[in-house]
mmCIF file with all atom_site columns, all heavy atoms in Angstrom:
data_model
loop_
_atom_site.group_PDB
_atom_site.id
_atom_site.type_symbol
_atom_site.label_atom_id
_atom_site.label_alt_id
_atom_site.label_comp_id
_atom_site.label_asym_id
_atom_site.label_entity_id
_atom_site.label_seq_id
_atom_site.pdbx_PDB_ins_code
_atom_site.Cartn_x
_atom_site.Cartn_y
_atom_site.Cartn_z
_atom_site.occupancy
_atom_site.B_iso_or_equiv
_atom_site.pdbx_formal_charge
_atom_site.auth_seq_id
_atom_site.auth_comp_id
_atom_site.auth_asym_id
_atom_site.auth_atom_id
_atom_site.pdbx_PDB_model_num
ATOM 1   N N   . ALA O 1 1  ? 0.403  0.028   -18.713 1.00 0.00 ? 197 ALA O N   1
ATOM 2   C CA  . ALA O 1 1  ? 1.088  -0.946  -17.874 1.00 0.00 ? 197 ALA O CA  1
ATOM 3   C C   . ALA O 1 1  ? 0.299  -1.207  -16.594 1.00 0.00 ? 197 ALA O C   1
ATOM 4   O O   . ALA O 1 1  ? -0.411 -0.331  -16.084 1.00 0.00 ? 197 ALA O O   1
ATOM 5   C CB  . ALA O 1 1  ? 2.496  -0.451  -17.531 1.00 0.00 ? 197 ALA O CB  1
ATOM 6   N N   . ALA O 1 2  ? 0.418  -2.424  -16.065 1.00 0.00 ? 198 ALA O N   1
ATOM 7   C CA  . ALA O 1 2  ? -0.234 -2.762  -14.800 1.00 0.00 ? 198 ALA O CA  1
ATOM 8   C C   . ALA O 1 2  ? 0.418  -1.985  -13.665 1.00 0.00 ? 198 ALA O C   1
ATOM 9   O O   . ALA O 1 2  ? 1.609  -1.662  -13.728 1.00 0.00 ? 198 ALA O O   1
ATOM 10  C CB  . ALA O 1 2  ? -0.119 -4.260  -14.548 1.00 0.00 ? 198 ALA O CB  1
ATOM 11  N N   . PRO O 1 3  ? -0.333 -1.666  -12.609 1.00 0.00 ? 199 PRO O N   1
ATOM 12  C CA  . PRO O 1 3  ? 0.233  -0.906  -11.489 1.00 0.00 ? 199 PRO O CA  1
ATOM 13  C C   . PRO O 1 3  ? 1.507  -1.528  -10.925 1.00 0.00 ? 199 PRO O C   1
ATOM 14  O O   . PRO O 1 3  ? 2.465  -0.812  -10.609 1.00 0.00 ? 199 PRO O O   1
ATOM 15  C CB  . PRO O 1 3  ? -0.893 -0.911  -10.452 1.00 0.00 ? 199 PRO O CB  1
ATOM 16  C CG  . PRO O 1 3  ? -2.144 -1.026  -11.259 1.00 0.00 ? 199 PRO O CG  1
ATOM 17  C CD  . PRO O 1 3  ? -1.790 -1.901  -12.426 1.00 0.00 ? 199 PRO O CD  1
ATOM 18  N N   . LYS O 1 4  ? 1.567  -2.848  -10.823 1.00 0.00 ? 200 LYS O N   1
ATOM 19  C CA  . LYS O 1 4  ? 2.730  -3.517  -10.238 1.00 0.00 ? 200 LYS O CA  1
ATOM 20  C C   . LYS O 1 4  ? 3.984  -3.389  -11.103 1.00 0.00 ? 200 LYS O C   1
ATOM 21  O O   . LYS O 1 4  ? 5.102  -3.610  -10.629 1.00 0.00 ? 200 LYS O O   1
ATOM 22  C CB  . LYS O 1 4  ? 2.424  -5.000  -9.999  1.00 0.00 ? 200 LYS O CB  1
ATOM 23  C CG  . LYS O 1 4  ? 2.161  -5.798  -11.267 1.00 0.00 ? 200 LYS O CG  1
ATOM 24  C CD  . LYS O 1 4  ? 1.803  -7.236  -10.948 1.00 0.00 ? 200 LYS O CD  1
ATOM 25  C CE  . LYS O 1 4  ? 1.544  -8.061  -12.207 1.00 0.00 ? 200 LYS O CE  1
ATOM 26  N NZ  . LYS O 1 4  ? 2.710  -8.201  -13.049 1.00 0.00 ? 200 LYS O NZ  1
ATOM 27  N N   . ASP O 1 5  ? 3.789  -3.031  -12.385 1.00 0.00 ? 201 ASP O N   1
ATOM 28  C CA  . ASP O 1 5  ? 4.920  -2.926  -13.303 1.00 0.00 ? 201 ASP O CA  1
ATOM 29  C C   . ASP O 1 5  ? 5.419  -1.494  -13.472 1.00 0.00 ? 201 ASP O C   1
ATOM 30  O O   . ASP O 1 5  ? 6.285  -1.244  -14.312 1.00 0.00 ? 201 ASP O O   1
ATOM 31  C CB  . ASP O 1 5  ? 4.533  -3.494  -14.676 1.00 0.00 ? 201 ASP O CB  1
ATOM 32  C CG  . ASP O 1 5  ? 4.181  -4.976  -14.617 1.00 0.00 ? 201 ASP O CG  1
ATOM 33  O OD1 . ASP O 1 5  ? 4.779  -5.683  -13.783 1.00 0.00 ? 201 ASP O OD1 1
ATOM 34  O OD2 . ASP O 1 5  ? 3.308  -5.421  -15.385 1.00 0.00 ? 201 ASP O OD2 1
ATOM 35  N N   . ARG O 1 6  ? 4.889  -0.560  -12.699 1.00 0.00 ? 202 ARG O N   1
ATOM 36  C CA  . ARG O 1 6  ? 5.239  0.860   -12.892 1.00 0.00 ? 202 ARG O CA  1
ATOM 37  C C   . ARG O 1 6  ? 6.342  1.342   -11.955 1.00 0.00 ? 202 ARG O C   1
ATOM 38  O O   . ARG O 1 6  ? 6.820  2.468   -12.096 1.00 0.00 ? 202 ARG O O   1
ATOM 39  C CB  . ARG O 1 6  ? 3.999  1.739   -12.719 1.00 0.00 ? 202 ARG O CB  1
ATOM 40  C CG  . ARG O 1 6  ? 2.910  1.408   -13.738 1.00 0.00 ? 202 ARG O CG  1
ATOM 41  C CD  . ARG O 1 6  ? 1.812  2.434   -13.748 1.00 0.00 ? 202 ARG O CD  1
ATOM 42  N NE  . ARG O 1 6  ? 0.782  2.080   -14.729 1.00 0.00 ? 202 ARG O NE  1
ATOM 43  C CZ  . ARG O 1 6  ? -0.027 2.937   -15.329 1.00 0.00 ? 202 ARG O CZ  1
ATOM 44  N NH1 . ARG O 1 6  ? 0.079  4.225   -15.055 1.00 0.00 ? 202 ARG O NH1 1
ATOM 45  N NH2 . ARG O 1 6  ? -0.922 2.523   -16.192 1.00 0.00 ? 202 ARG O NH2 1
ATOM 46  N N   . ASP O 1 7  ? 6.703  0.543   -10.981 1.00 0.00 ? 203 ASP O N   1
ATOM 47  C CA  . ASP O 1 7  ? 7.745  0.901   -10.012 1.00 0.00 ? 203 ASP O CA  1
ATOM 48  C C   . ASP O 1 7  ? 7.401  2.200   -9.290  1.00 0.00 ? 203 ASP O C   1
ATOM 49  O O   . ASP O 1 7  ? 8.198  3.132   -9.200  1.00 0.00 ? 203 ASP O O   1
ATOM 50  C CB  . ASP O 1 7  ? 9.111  1.013   -10.693 1.00 0.00 ? 203 ASP O CB  1
ATOM 51  C CG  . ASP O 1 7  ? 10.259 0.942   -9.690  1.00 0.00 ? 203 ASP O CG  1
ATOM 52  O OD1 . ASP O 1 7  ? 9.993  0.615   -8.518  1.00 0.00 ? 203 ASP O OD1 1
ATOM 53  O OD2 . ASP O 1 7  ? 11.407 1.229   -10.071 1.00 0.00 ? 203 ASP O OD2 1
ATOM 54  N N   . ILE O 1 8  ? 6.164  2.249   -8.778  1.00 0.00 ? 204 ILE O N   1
ATOM 55  C CA  . ILE O 1 8  ? 5.719  3.380   -7.972  1.00 0.00 ? 204 ILE O CA  1
ATOM 56  C C   . ILE O 1 8  ? 5.277  2.846   -6.607  1.00 0.00 ? 204 ILE O C   1
ATOM 57  O O   . ILE O 1 8  ? 4.964  1.661   -6.452  1.00 0.00 ? 204 ILE O O   1
ATOM 58  C CB  . ILE O 1 8  ? 4.577  4.175   -8.643  1.00 0.00 ? 204 ILE O CB  1
ATOM 59  C CG1 . ILE O 1 8  ? 3.358  3.273   -8.864  1.00 0.00 ? 204 ILE O CG1 1
ATOM 60  C CG2 . ILE O 1 8  ? 5.025  4.772   -9.955  1.00 0.00 ? 204 ILE O CG2 1
ATOM 61  C CD1 . ILE O 1 8  ? 2.280  3.418   -7.844  1.00 0.00 ? 204 ILE O CD1 1
ATOM 62  N N   . ALA O 1 9  ? 5.248  3.715   -5.613  1.00 0.00 ? 205 ALA O N   1
ATOM 63  C CA  . ALA O 1 9  ? 4.725  3.360   -4.296  1.00 0.00 ? 205 ALA O CA  1
ATOM 64  C C   . ALA O 1 9  ? 3.675  4.397   -3.920  1.00 0.00 ? 205 ALA O C   1
ATOM 65  O O   . ALA O 1 9  ? 3.909  5.593   -4.056  1.00 0.00 ? 205 ALA O O   1
ATOM 66  C CB  . ALA O 1 9  ? 5.840  3.315   -3.256  1.00 0.00 ? 205 ALA O CB  1
ATOM 67  N N   . MET O 1 10 ? 2.527  3.912   -3.452  1.00 0.00 ? 206 MET O N   1
ATOM 68  C CA  . MET O 1 10 ? 1.394  4.787   -3.178  1.00 0.00 ? 206 MET O CA  1
ATOM 69  C C   . MET O 1 10 ? 1.198  4.935   -1.666  1.00 0.00 ? 206 MET O C   1
ATOM 70  O O   . MET O 1 10 ? 1.272  3.958   -0.924  1.00 0.00 ? 206 MET O O   1
ATOM 71  C CB  . MET O 1 10 ? 0.134  4.190   -3.808  1.00 0.00 ? 206 MET O CB  1
ATOM 72  C CG  . MET O 1 10 ? -1.055 5.112   -3.830  1.00 0.00 ? 206 MET O CG  1
ATOM 73  S SD  . MET O 1 10 ? -1.212 5.955   -5.411  1.00 0.00 ? 206 MET O SD  1
ATOM 74  C CE  . MET O 1 10 ? -2.763 6.813   -5.183  1.00 0.00 ? 206 MET O CE  1
ATOM 75  N N   . VAL O 1 11 ? 0.967  6.155   -1.228  1.00 0.00 ? 207 VAL O N   1
ATOM 76  C CA  . VAL O 1 11 ? 0.597  6.424   0.158   1.00 0.00 ? 207 VAL O CA  1
ATOM 77  C C   . VAL O 1 11 ? -0.814 7.000   0.139   1.00 0.00 ? 207 VAL O C   1
ATOM 78  O O   . VAL O 1 11 ? -1.052 8.051   -0.457  1.00 0.00 ? 207 VAL O O   1
ATOM 79  C CB  . VAL O 1 11 ? 1.566  7.416   0.829   1.00 0.00 ? 207 VAL O CB  1
ATOM 80  C CG1 . VAL O 1 11 ? 1.152  7.672   2.277   1.00 0.00 ? 207 VAL O CG1 1
ATOM 81  C CG2 . VAL O 1 11 ? 2.999  6.876   0.783   1.00 0.00 ? 207 VAL O CG2 1
ATOM 82  N N   . PHE O 1 12 ? -1.750 6.301   0.802   1.00 0.00 ? 208 PHE O N   1
ATOM 83  C CA  . PHE O 1 12 ? -3.162 6.671   0.726   1.00 0.00 ? 208 PHE O CA  1
ATOM 84  C C   . PHE O 1 12 ? -3.586 7.527   1.906   1.00 0.00 ? 208 PHE O C   1
ATOM 85  O O   . PHE O 1 12 ? -2.917 7.594   2.951   1.00 0.00 ? 208 PHE O O   1
ATOM 86  C CB  . PHE O 1 12 ? -4.035 5.414   0.679   1.00 0.00 ? 208 PHE O CB  1
ATOM 87  C CG  . PHE O 1 12 ? -3.855 4.572   -0.555  1.00 0.00 ? 208 PHE O CG  1
ATOM 88  C CD1 . PHE O 1 12 ? -2.993 3.488   -0.551  1.00 0.00 ? 208 PHE O CD1 1
ATOM 89  C CD2 . PHE O 1 12 ? -4.550 4.864   -1.719  1.00 0.00 ? 208 PHE O CD2 1
ATOM 90  C CE1 . PHE O 1 12 ? -2.825 2.701   -1.687  1.00 0.00 ? 208 PHE O CE1 1
ATOM 91  C CE2 . PHE O 1 12 ? -4.383 4.088   -2.854  1.00 0.00 ? 208 PHE O CE2 1
ATOM 92  C CZ  . PHE O 1 12 ? -3.523 3.006   -2.839  1.00 0.00 ? 208 PHE O CZ  1
ATOM 93  N N   . GLN O 1 13 ? -4.759 8.117   1.756   1.00 0.00 ? 209 GLN O N   1
ATOM 94  C CA  . GLN O 1 13 ? -5.350 8.962   2.781   1.00 0.00 ? 209 GLN O CA  1
ATOM 95  C C   . GLN O 1 13 ? -5.668 8.163   4.049   1.00 0.00 ? 209 GLN O C   1
ATOM 96  O O   . GLN O 1 13 ? -5.509 8.648   5.160   1.00 0.00 ? 209 GLN O O   1
ATOM 97  C CB  . GLN O 1 13 ? -6.626 9.597   2.222   1.00 0.00 ? 209 GLN O CB  1
ATOM 98  C CG  . GLN O 1 13 ? -7.420 10.436  3.198   1.00 0.00 ? 209 GLN O CG  1
ATOM 99  C CD  . GLN O 1 13 ? -8.654 11.037  2.535   1.00 0.00 ? 209 GLN O CD  1
ATOM 100 O OE1 . GLN O 1 13 ? -8.750 11.116  1.322   1.00 0.00 ? 209 GLN O OE1 1
ATOM 101 N NE2 . GLN O 1 13 ? -9.608 11.442  3.338   1.00 0.00 ? 209 GLN O NE2 1
ATOM 102 N N   . ASN O 1 14 ? -6.131 6.914   3.886   1.00 0.00 ? 210 ASN O N   1
ATOM 103 C CA  . ASN O 1 14 ? -6.588 6.123   5.036   1.00 0.00 ? 210 ASN O CA  1
ATOM 104 C C   . ASN O 1 14 ? -5.543 5.138   5.547   1.00 0.00 ? 210 ASN O C   1
ATOM 105 O O   . ASN O 1 14 ? -5.869 4.167   6.232   1.00 0.00 ? 210 ASN O O   1
ATOM 106 C CB  . ASN O 1 14 ? -7.862 5.370   4.674   1.00 0.00 ? 210 ASN O CB  1
ATOM 107 C CG  . ASN O 1 14 ? -7.658 4.400   3.524   1.00 0.00 ? 210 ASN O CG  1
ATOM 108 O OD1 . ASN O 1 14 ? -6.560 4.306   2.972   1.00 0.00 ? 210 ASN O OD1 1
ATOM 109 N ND2 . ASN O 1 14 ? -8.704 3.672   3.156   1.00 0.00 ? 210 ASN O ND2 1
ATOM 110 N N   . TYR O 1 15 ? -4.281 5.348   5.174   1.00 0.00 ? 211 TYR O N   1
ATOM 111 C CA  . TYR O 1 15 ? -3.136 4.558   5.629   1.00 0.00 ? 211 TYR O CA  1
ATOM 112 C C   . TYR O 1 15 ? -3.084 3.171   5.008   1.00 0.00 ? 211 TYR O C   1
ATOM 113 O O   . TYR O 1 15 ? -2.021 2.680   4.660   1.00 0.00 ? 211 TYR O O   1
ATOM 114 C CB  . TYR O 1 15 ? -3.073 4.414   7.169   1.00 0.00 ? 211 TYR O CB  1
ATOM 115 C CG  . TYR O 1 15 ? -3.387 5.661   7.941   1.00 0.00 ? 211 TYR O CG  1
ATOM 116 C CD1 . TYR O 1 15 ? -4.186 5.622   9.066   1.00 0.00 ? 211 TYR O CD1 1
ATOM 117 C CD2 . TYR O 1 15 ? -2.898 6.908   7.539   1.00 0.00 ? 211 TYR O CD2 1
ATOM 118 C CE1 . TYR O 1 15 ? -4.488 6.764   9.793   1.00 0.00 ? 211 TYR O CE1 1
ATOM 119 C CE2 . TYR O 1 15 ? -3.186 8.066   8.252   1.00 0.00 ? 211 TYR O CE2 1
ATOM 120 C CZ  . TYR O 1 15 ? -3.988 7.983   9.375   1.00 0.00 ? 211 TYR O CZ  1
ATOM 121 O OH  . TYR O 1 15 ? -4.283 9.115   10.078  1.00 0.00 ? 211 TYR O OH  1
ATOM 122 N N   . ALA O 1 16 ? -4.244 2.464   4.922   1.00 0.00 ? 212 ALA O N   1
ATOM 123 C CA  . ALA O 1 16 ? -4.333 1.135   4.302   1.00 0.00 ? 212 ALA O CA  1
ATOM 124 C C   . ALA O 1 16 ? -3.365 0.139   4.937   1.00 0.00 ? 212 ALA O C   1
ATOM 125 O O   . ALA O 1 16 ? -2.668 -0.603  4.246   1.00 0.00 ? 212 ALA O O   1
ATOM 126 C CB  . ALA O 1 16 ? -4.078 1.235   2.797   1.00 0.00 ? 212 ALA O CB  1
ATOM 127 N N   . LEU O 1 17 ? -3.336 0.121   6.276   1.00 0.00 ? 213 LEU O N   1
ATOM 128 C CA  . LEU O 1 17 ? -2.478 -0.820  6.999   1.00 0.00 ? 213 LEU O CA  1
ATOM 129 C C   . LEU O 1 17 ? -3.277 -2.076  7.353   1.00 0.00 ? 213 LEU O C   1
ATOM 130 O O   . LEU O 1 17 ? -4.487 -2.020  7.573   1.00 0.00 ? 213 LEU O O   1
ATOM 131 C CB  . LEU O 1 17 ? -1.938 -0.186  8.278   1.00 0.00 ? 213 LEU O CB  1
ATOM 132 C CG  . LEU O 1 17 ? -1.106 1.091   8.112   1.00 0.00 ? 213 LEU O CG  1
ATOM 133 C CD1 . LEU O 1 17 ? -0.709 1.636   9.482   1.00 0.00 ? 213 LEU O CD1 1
ATOM 134 C CD2 . LEU O 1 17 ? 0.124  0.836   7.260   1.00 0.00 ? 213 LEU O CD2 1
ATOM 135 N N   . TYR O 1 18 ? -2.587 -3.211  7.424   1.00 0.00 ? 214 TYR O N   1
ATOM 136 C CA  . TYR O 1 18 ? -3.231 -4.453  7.848   1.00 0.00 ? 214 TYR O CA  1
ATOM 137 C C   . TYR O 1 18 ? -3.297 -4.476  9.372   1.00 0.00 ? 214 TYR O C   1
ATOM 138 O O   . TYR O 1 18 ? -2.261 -4.478  10.046  1.00 0.00 ? 214 TYR O O   1
ATOM 139 C CB  . TYR O 1 18 ? -2.436 -5.660  7.340   1.00 0.00 ? 214 TYR O CB  1
ATOM 140 C CG  . TYR O 1 18 ? -2.421 -5.790  5.840   1.00 0.00 ? 214 TYR O CG  1
ATOM 141 C CD1 . TYR O 1 18 ? -1.269 -5.485  5.113   1.00 0.00 ? 214 TYR O CD1 1
ATOM 142 C CD2 . TYR O 1 18 ? -3.554 -6.198  5.145   1.00 0.00 ? 214 TYR O CD2 1
ATOM 143 C CE1 . TYR O 1 18 ? -1.244 -5.597  3.726   1.00 0.00 ? 214 TYR O CE1 1
ATOM 144 C CE2 . TYR O 1 18 ? -3.545 -6.315  3.759   1.00 0.00 ? 214 TYR O CE2 1
ATOM 145 C CZ  . TYR O 1 18 ? -2.388 -6.011  3.060   1.00 0.00 ? 214 TYR O CZ  1
ATOM 146 O OH  . TYR O 1 18 ? -2.385 -6.119  1.689   1.00 0.00 ? 214 TYR O OH  1
ATOM 147 N N   . PRO O 1 19 ? -4.510 -4.501  9.959   1.00 0.00 ? 215 PRO O N   1
ATOM 148 C CA  . PRO O 1 19 ? -4.641 -4.376  11.420  1.00 0.00 ? 215 PRO O CA  1
ATOM 149 C C   . PRO O 1 19 ? -4.073 -5.565  12.190  1.00 0.00 ? 215 PRO O C   1
ATOM 150 O O   . PRO O 1 19 ? -3.685 -5.427  13.355  1.00 0.00 ? 215 PRO O O   1
ATOM 151 C CB  . PRO O 1 19 ? -6.153 -4.254  11.633  1.00 0.00 ? 215 PRO O CB  1
ATOM 152 C CG  . PRO O 1 19 ? -6.774 -4.867  10.417  1.00 0.00 ? 215 PRO O CG  1
ATOM 153 C CD  . PRO O 1 19 ? -5.822 -4.582  9.288   1.00 0.00 ? 215 PRO O CD  1
ATOM 154 N N   . HIS O 1 20 ? -4.014 -6.750  11.564  1.00 0.00 ? 216 HIS O N   1
ATOM 155 C CA  . HIS O 1 20 ? -3.551 -7.943  12.277  1.00 0.00 ? 216 HIS O CA  1
ATOM 156 C C   . HIS O 1 20 ? -2.037 -8.103  12.216  1.00 0.00 ? 216 HIS O C   1
ATOM 157 O O   . HIS O 1 20 ? -1.475 -8.985  12.864  1.00 0.00 ? 216 HIS O O   1
ATOM 158 C CB  . HIS O 1 20 ? -4.215 -9.196  11.690  1.00 0.00 ? 216 HIS O CB  1
ATOM 159 C CG  . HIS O 1 20 ? -3.864 -9.439  10.254  1.00 0.00 ? 216 HIS O CG  1
ATOM 160 N ND1 . HIS O 1 20 ? -4.405 -8.686  9.233   1.00 0.00 ? 216 HIS O ND1 1
ATOM 161 C CD2 . HIS O 1 20 ? -3.016 -10.338 9.666   1.00 0.00 ? 216 HIS O CD2 1
ATOM 162 C CE1 . HIS O 1 20 ? -3.921 -9.118  8.070   1.00 0.00 ? 216 HIS O CE1 1
ATOM 163 N NE2 . HIS O 1 20 ? -3.069 -10.110 8.313   1.00 0.00 ? 216 HIS O NE2 1
ATOM 164 N N   . MET O 1 21 ? -1.359 -7.256  11.430  1.00 0.00 ? 217 MET O N   1
ATOM 165 C CA  . MET O 1 21 ? 0.095  -7.344  11.294  1.00 0.00 ? 217 MET O CA  1
ATOM 166 C C   . MET O 1 21 ? 0.793  -6.306  12.168  1.00 0.00 ? 217 MET O C   1
ATOM 167 O O   . MET O 1 21 ? 0.246  -5.234  12.440  1.00 0.00 ? 217 MET O O   1
ATOM 168 C CB  . MET O 1 21 ? 0.521  -7.106  9.838   1.00 0.00 ? 217 MET O CB  1
ATOM 169 C CG  . MET O 1 21 ? 0.121  -8.175  8.871   1.00 0.00 ? 217 MET O CG  1
ATOM 170 S SD  . MET O 1 21 ? 0.810  -7.776  7.232   1.00 0.00 ? 217 MET O SD  1
ATOM 171 C CE  . MET O 1 21 ? 0.147  -9.135  6.258   1.00 0.00 ? 217 MET O CE  1
ATOM 172 N N   . THR O 1 22 ? 2.025  -6.613  12.565  1.00 0.00 ? 218 THR O N   1
ATOM 173 C CA  . THR O 1 22 ? 2.841  -5.631  13.281  1.00 0.00 ? 218 THR O CA  1
ATOM 174 C C   . THR O 1 22 ? 3.305  -4.550  12.307  1.00 0.00 ? 218 THR O C   1
ATOM 175 O O   . THR O 1 22 ? 3.164  -4.680  11.086  1.00 0.00 ? 218 THR O O   1
ATOM 176 C CB  . THR O 1 22 ? 4.083  -6.289  13.906  1.00 0.00 ? 218 THR O CB  1
ATOM 177 O OG1 . THR O 1 22 ? 4.912  -6.788  12.844  1.00 0.00 ? 218 THR O OG1 1
ATOM 178 C CG2 . THR O 1 22 ? 3.694  -7.413  14.845  1.00 0.00 ? 218 THR O CG2 1
ATOM 179 N N   . VAL O 1 23 ? 3.877  -3.488  12.873  1.00 0.00 ? 219 VAL O N   1
ATOM 180 C CA  . VAL O 1 23 ? 4.430  -2.417  12.041  1.00 0.00 ? 219 VAL O CA  1
ATOM 181 C C   . VAL O 1 23 ? 5.487  -2.972  11.098  1.00 0.00 ? 219 VAL O C   1
ATOM 182 O O   . VAL O 1 23 ? 5.511  -2.662  9.895   1.00 0.00 ? 219 VAL O O   1
ATOM 183 C CB  . VAL O 1 23 ? 5.035  -1.314  12.936  1.00 0.00 ? 219 VAL O CB  1
ATOM 184 C CG1 . VAL O 1 23 ? 5.890  -0.347  12.120  1.00 0.00 ? 219 VAL O CG1 1
ATOM 185 C CG2 . VAL O 1 23 ? 3.927  -0.556  13.642  1.00 0.00 ? 219 VAL O CG2 1
ATOM 186 N N   . ALA O 1 24 ? 6.380  -3.814  11.618  1.00 0.00 ? 220 ALA O N   1
ATOM 187 C CA  . ALA O 1 24 ? 7.441  -4.382  10.782  1.00 0.00 ? 220 ALA O CA  1
ATOM 188 C C   . ALA O 1 24 ? 6.861  -5.200  9.638   1.00 0.00 ? 220 ALA O C   1
ATOM 189 O O   . ALA O 1 24 ? 7.322  -5.106  8.490   1.00 0.00 ? 220 ALA O O   1
ATOM 190 C CB  . ALA O 1 24 ? 8.365  -5.245  11.641  1.00 0.00 ? 220 ALA O CB  1
#
């Protein structure tokens, strides 16, 4: 199955946050 179809949420080592977006 594709990752989007597995109903999982991943937390990575490097946070993988979008720098131009707010926390919300």
